[in-house]
Amino acid sequence: MLYRAALVSQLYLLIVFIAKFTAVALPENFAPPNNVEELYDQLSRLGFAKDGNADVQSRSIAVGPEHGNCRKPCTLLANILQNATFFPATSVYQQQQSEYWSTQQAETLPACRVLPSSAREVAVTYLVTAFYKCKFAVKGGGHASFGGASSIQDGVTIDLQRLNTIQDNSEGTVTQVGPGNRWIDVYQYLTPKNLAVVGGRDSDIGVSGFTLGGGISYFSERYGWACDGVENYEVVLANGHIVNVNLDKYPDLYWALRGGGNNFGIVTRMDLATFPQGQMLGGNSVYPLTANASIIAAYQRFVADLPSDPDAAIIVAFAYLQGQWIANNIYAYAKPVTKPPIFEEFFALQNMTSTLRIANLTNITAELTTYSPPGFRQTYRSVTFKNNAEIQQRVFDIFFEEMDPIKDLTGIVPALAMQPISKSVIALFSKNGGNALGLADEEGPFLIVQLAVQWSSSADDSKVYSTTQRVVERSVAAAKILGVDSKYIYQNYAAKGQDVFAGYGETNQRRLIEISKRYDPKGVFQKLQPGYFKLGRF
């Protein structure tokens, strides 16, 4: 008996030693505060309810948790973050509402808007909001097309605009970027240093949402998508803790953030891999719509050949603009070369106008912004096919058939854009432990088809939405007949209601859900942050 007791004692001491001195000690509690005392402890930890500060503590207790009531957390936040919380009658609130890209987002009115200036203030805002079971949204650049994506009706909108720091290291290999930046801010900082990161081609788009959804860049053939270039995320987790997430710390969460959207926490900083970049070729060439068959045939060959030249990028688009149907190719080449051989087949076509030039990245990406101005109603819809000229031509025909009858709606600009996912890009998805997108190079190359429509009047919403849905449904049916269909849906171009994560494949979707359960056991980012695309966990 004495021997058994001694053995048990030794085993107990060994377990205590392992728990104390190894990284696999006791499981971390990722749940948010469950009562007033826990909330106060969290606020104290963050420095917003220091010992002896009975004022904040009494307010916390006096308000009391009322589920779904967002007036009270707004009131408490106004007391804690006095210069960061704004209500509908204030000019700051109204200005921030006007800065959304789409009208549908601007029309979605929260009970209050909070503009934190640090990760700690983000954590405080999140903790108070989640404690009261108040629904919330997180806004970075605000460039989503549908209402509720980064706005929330009668809830709390956490606007990250003030988290706008940009700082590169002395070697020029990593740039820390706050989520309140748009790509124009990043490029204006890096371009004078002859540096760049894998970022957006429309410089008005926000950094964070773009990157969390994947992020296609002019430099993707050489470096992968934007999510592949993130070396570290600073994240506010469901328990309010601020952590660094990378390949060494929380590697499963690091994988999930690379394409997993807003389902795991609030990103307050990204550290982006940075590389040398000087002058480059870029611009748009407009062609008559009658050139569509020649452009499509050339594009199929271009996509297949892309791995041979990682500096090249082309977006092929067709649109109704200023009273006429046009084809519009958007070119980029990462070196100052005026006639890259890989563009030769396109350059042989007679264009109507062209802005092709040697310029810097800031200049080239600013041009694309002019094609999608703010202040209109917007919708996106996306689908992916295997690279095939026949399906490209069929999709073009369907788009024209469906859109031509509504081309005279007030303010309407319907556009169909095609862009590749080459085998070389898919191979880069495996960097640093891989991303969550679920694409395999043996199945590629692929072609992302984006349907984008802007228009003016809400009275035309049903016509536009039903038409875009028919275009996609008919295109998918045609692709299945040809055997070139794919379930993948690019998150940043998806419409509300499209099942993005099912397109990542069953294995990846299940893994994302399990990671969500681990780091957000109460499902806060699934239930209280309903905007954008959810995992299907509930």
Side-chain angles (χ1 to χ4, degrees), residues 221-303:
E221 282 299 313
R222 189 174 292 279
Y223 300 106
W225 284 6
C227 64
D228 304 307
V230 182
E231 298 196 355
N232 179 76
Y233 299 86
E234 182 184 76
V235 186
V236 176
L237 297 177
N239 60 2
H241 287 221
I242 303 165
V243 299
N244 284 293
V245 176
N246 50 57
L247 192 58
D248 297 319
K249 299 177 181 177
Y250 308 102
D252 55 347
L253 183 57
Y254 178 62
W255 175 87
L257 288 170
R258 298 168 74 183
N262 66 0
N263 289 284
F264 305 95
I266 303 175
V267 174
T268 52
R269 195 191 75 236
M270 293 182 292
D271 302 345
L272 307 180
T274 307
F275 49 86
Q277 179 61 48
Q279 297 283 96
M280 57 187 289
L281 175 71
N284 302 282
S285 293
V286 176
Y287 305 88
L289 195 66
T290 53
N292 72 85
S294 297
I295 291 172
I296 286 171
Y299 200 53
Q300 189 274 333
R301 290 186 284 272
F302 169 79
V303 173

Side-chain angles (χ1 to χ4, degrees), residues 11 16 68 103 123 131 145-146 149 165 175 206 236 269 280 306 315 389 393 507 524 537:
L11 285 172
V16 170
T103 302
F131 178 71
S145 61
F146 55 86
T165 57
T175 302
V236 176
R269 195 191 75 236
M280 57 187 289
L306 254 179
I315 303 171
Q393 188 66 55
T507 299
V524 176
R537 178 176 158 188

Side-chain angles (χ1 to χ4, degrees), residues 400-409:
F400 186 80
E401 290 168 11
E402 293 287 356
M403 286 295 171
D404 197 59
I406 66 169
K407 69 179 185 298
D408 294 324
L409 296 181

Side-chain angles (χ1 to χ4, degrees), residues 172-405:
T173 57
V174 177
T175 302
Q176 295 185 338
V177 178
N181 288 291
R182 301 179 189 230
W183 288 112
I184 185 65
D185 304 312
V186 179
Y187 297 154
Q188 286 177 338
Y189 177 88
L190 291 175
T191 294
K193 302 183 177 190
N194 288 319
L195 297 172
V197 294
V198 180
R201 295 157 298 179
D202 177 345
S203 61
D204 193 48
I205 291 174
V207 167
S208 56
F210 171 88
T211 306
L212 291 169
I216 307 173
S217 167
Y218 287 141
F219 308 120
S220 288
E221 282 299 313
R222 189 174 292 279
Y223 300 106
W225 284 6
C227 64
D228 304 307
V230 182
E231 298 196 355
N232 179 76
Y233 299 86
E234 182 184 76
V235 186
V236 176
L237 297 177
N239 60 2
H241 287 221
I242 303 165
V243 299
N244 284 293
V245 176
N246 50 57
L247 192 58
D248 297 319
K249 299 177 181 177
Y250 308 102
D252 55 347
L253 183 57
Y254 178 62
W255 175 87
L257 288 170
R258 298 168 74 183
N262 66 0
N263 289 284
F264 305 95
I266 303 175
V267 174
T268 52
R269 195 191 75 236
M270 293 182 292
D271 302 345
L272 307 180
T274 307
F275 49 86
Q277 179 61 48
Q279 297 283 96
M280 57 187 289
L281 175 71
N284 302 282
S285 293
V286 176
Y287 305 88
L289 195 66
T290 53
N292 72 85
S294 297
I295 291 172
I296 286 171
Y299 200 53
Q300 189 274 333
R301 290 186 284 272
F302 169 79
V303 173
D305 291 344
L306 254 179
S308 69
D309 193 337
D311 292 314
I314 303 177
I315 303 171
V316 166
F318 305 98
Y320 186 75
L321 186 64
Q322 297 177 349
Q324 63 176 334
W325 286 101
I326 61 167
N328 181 33
N329 286 3
I330 301 162
Y331 298 99
Y333 197 79
K335 295 177 181 176
V337 177
T338 56
K339 294 182 179 180
I342 198 168
F343 292 166
E344 183 177 4
E345 194 170 356
F346 298 98
F347 285 5
L349 300 173
Q350 182 62 50
N351 64 63
M352 298 161 62
T353 63
S354 181
T355 63
L356 274 172
R357 64 207 181 276
I358 301 297
N360 61 45
L361 182 63
T362 302
N363 177 278
I364 289 169
T365 57
E367 180 181 5
L368 195 56
T369 300
T370 64
Y371 283 85
S372 55
F376 290 91
R377 307 189 74 75
Q378 304 280 354
T379 191
Y380 282 167
R381 194 168 285 270
S382 182
V383 67
T384 304
F385 304 123
K386 294 177 183 177
N387 183 39
N388 176 277
E390 189 173 352
I391 191 59
Q392 291 181 50
Q393 188 66 55
R394 185 69 188 118
V395 170
F396 166 80
D397 293 339
I398 291 168
F399 169 74
F400 186 80
E401 290 168 11
E402 293 287 356
M403 286 295 171
D404 197 59

Side-chain angles (χ1 to χ4, degrees), residues 32-91:
N34 192 47
N35 53 55
V36 170
E37 288 72 23
E38 290 182 5
L39 174 64
Y40 180 70
D41 287 345
Q42 289 279 47
L43 296 179
S44 298
R45 177 182 59 81
L46 292 164
F48 288 89
K50 297 176 182 177
D51 292 339
N53 191 342
D55 188 41
V56 172
Q57 186 178 21
S58 65
R59 283 181 179 137
S60 301
I61 295 172
V63 173
E66 291 188 7
H67 291 231
N69 184 347
C70 294
R71 179 183 61 82
K72 291 188 175 181
C74 283
T75 300
L76 179 56
L77 287 167
N79 287 324
I80 298 174
L81 302 175
Q82 297 179 7
N83 297 317
T85 306
F86 302 95
F87 293 90
T90 64
S91 60

